Amino acid sequence: MLDLNDVALFVHVVRNGSFAEAARQLGMPSNTLSRRVQQLEAQLGTRLLQRSTRKLTLTHSGELFHERCSGAVEGLLDAGQQLMTGSQEPSGTVRVAAMADFFDFFPMEWVADFLAKHPQVRLDFVLSDARADLIAERIDIAFRGGVLQDSGYVGRQLLGAGNEGLVASSDYLNKRGVPATLQDLDNHDCVSFAHPSGLTTWRLMGPDGVEEDIQITSRFNGNTAQALRKATLAGLGIALLPPTITNLDLQAGRLVSVLPHYYRTGFGLHLLYPSRKHLPLAVSAFIELVMEKLKEQTFPANV
């Protein structure tokens, strides 16, 4: 029979990213903690962690085992803490991974209200357009755009896919002219996400329902949708952006739609977390906040 204490120790090591940090928090020698995890691996008959001087990496078996047991362990610890304190209030730290320009669309006032309502909760945001490794970076909740991969985690859709359209500033169009056909983009500067090859091709759906490829010249590249939006507002070229990024600018006349019958299907937005069961109250509370606030809101796709 597995020693559930060893399972809990394994989860704690993964949670902290190293034996040394986990041992420090637990108040036990690092070599003792390592030995207990080795005993667990021996019982399971498989290696769970690849050890190196720089970092720990979960093996495939380790990932599967962690996904199955981490929620239960965290839930038990959370339940025990609640019983000891006599409180049913959410508490502890929630680490959230999101795109770099997250707070351009998720008002900080929502965060302030949440923290005021739950004084024992701390929020730790990891903002990057790179996909976070939920295990290695100890992430509780991740916002993720695009097609959701089958990772063993729980995914909840926040927004469905929207159609991205071509936009430019009036100043740019006054100087360079308005393209009448897709091929006219050959004579225009564009604003785009950088491609490793140095060449960027937009695949757009046309008015006849047929997709067309157009290779564009981009004099400004960026790695966030907000950077591209600001470059487009500054008149640096034509951009292909989701409506949730450009709607307000279009309504205010700061941007103008270009070739409106051409579009690219965008990506939905999902909320990703380890398990439906045994979620810490603080994590559940934040998920509830997100679902409530974004139910009738718009949000940018993560391209």
Side-chain angles (χ1 to χ4, degrees):
M1 180 180 293
L2 290 180
D3 187 330
L4 297 183
N5 289 317
D6 289 347
V7 175
L9 292 177
F10 163 71
V11 170
H12 201 70
V13 169
V14 175
R15 179 77 171 166
N16 287 278
S18 73
F19 281 103
E21 178 59 23
R24 187 187 67 79
Q25 290 197 14
L26 293 169
M28 64 189 300
S30 181
N31 59 349
T32 300
L33 182 56
S34 179
R35 177 173 51 80
R36 294 285 295 274
V37 173
Q38 287 177 353
Q39 290 176 356
L40 176 63
E41 290 176 322
Q43 283 186 293
L44 293 171
T46 186
R47 181 177 288 276
L48 301 174
L49 294 165
Q50 297 287 4
R51 299 157 175 83
S52 72
T53 56
R54 297 186 62 184
K55 67 174 184 178
L56 293 177
T57 305
L58 283 169
T59 64
H60 179 65
S61 296
E63 288 182 2
L64 295 176
F65 187 67
H66 182 264
E67 289 170 8
R68 293 293 299 273
C69 66
S70 60
V73 170
E74 296 286 358
L76 288 171
L77 293 175
D78 193 51
Q81 183 65 30
Q82 292 169 28
L83 288 175
M84 286 189 291
T85 61
S87 172
Q88 293 296 312
E89 285 294 317
S91 63
T93 299
V94 181
R95 280 177 61 81
V96 183
M99 55 287 296
D101 50 13
F102 180 75
F103 286 113
D104 288 334
F105 305 93
F106 195 94
M108 194 62 76
E109 290 78 10
W110 293 353
V111 175
D113 290 344
F114 176 81
L115 292 176
K117 183 178 180 181
H118 304 295
Q120 299 180 54
V121 175
R122 294 171 51 195
L123 294 177
D124 185 358
F125 282 89
V126 180
L127 302 181
S128 172
D129 284 340
R131 290 201 170 196
D133 184 326
L134 271 65
I135 294 175
E137 299 180 51
R138 297 176 284 128
I139 301 298
D140 296 298
I141 302 168
F143 290 86
R144 188 156 291 176
V147 179
L148 199 61
Q149 302 295 323
D150 184 11
S151 63
Y153 296 115
V154 178
R156 297 178 67 174
Q157 188 173 50
L158 298 174
L159 289 176
N163 292 331
E164 300 175 7
L166 297 166
V167 294
S169 70
S170 296
D171 286 344
Y172 173 85
L173 295 175
N174 289 335
K175 294 175 182 176
R176 300 291 299 272
V178 179
T181 68
L182 200 59
Q183 288 66 38
D184 287 347
L185 292 180
D186 289 341
N187 302 315
H188 283 268
D189 294 331
C190 293
V191 172
S192 177
F193 289 93
H195 192 276
S197 68
L199 301 175
T200 300
T201 299
W202 287 342
R203 174 165 291 182
L204 303 173
M205 185 70 72
D208 55 1
V210 177
E211 286 188 330
E212 297 184 50
D213 289 346
I214 183 72
Q215 187 169 301
I216 55 109
T217 300
S218 179
R219 297 189 62 204
F220 180 94
N221 293 321
N223 66 345
T224 72
Q226 272 301 310
L228 301 188
R229 169 183 168 268
K230 291 176 181 178
T232 309
L233 287 169
L236 298 187
I238 299 172
L240 180 61
L241 292 171
T244 45
I245 290 281
T246 60
N247 273 344
L248 292 179
D249 294 319
L250 289 168
Q251 292 170 15
R254 293 185 292 268
L255 291 177
V256 177
S257 180
V258 176
L259 298 172
H261 298 302
Y262 287 90
Y263 64 91
R264 180 173 68 185
T265 300
F267 300 105
L269 183 72
H270 297 83
L271 196 64
L272 199 64
Y273 51 96
S275 171
R276 293 184 189 277
K277 299 179 180 179
H278 310 297
L279 278 176
L281 287 179
V283 175
S284 296
F286 188 76
I287 291 173
E288 290 174 7
L289 166 76
V290 171
M291 299 303 293
E292 174 189 348
K293 294 295 187 181
L294 295 184
K295 186 182 301 181
E296 298 181 359
Q297 298 287 329
T298 57
F299 205 91
N302 186 20
V303 180

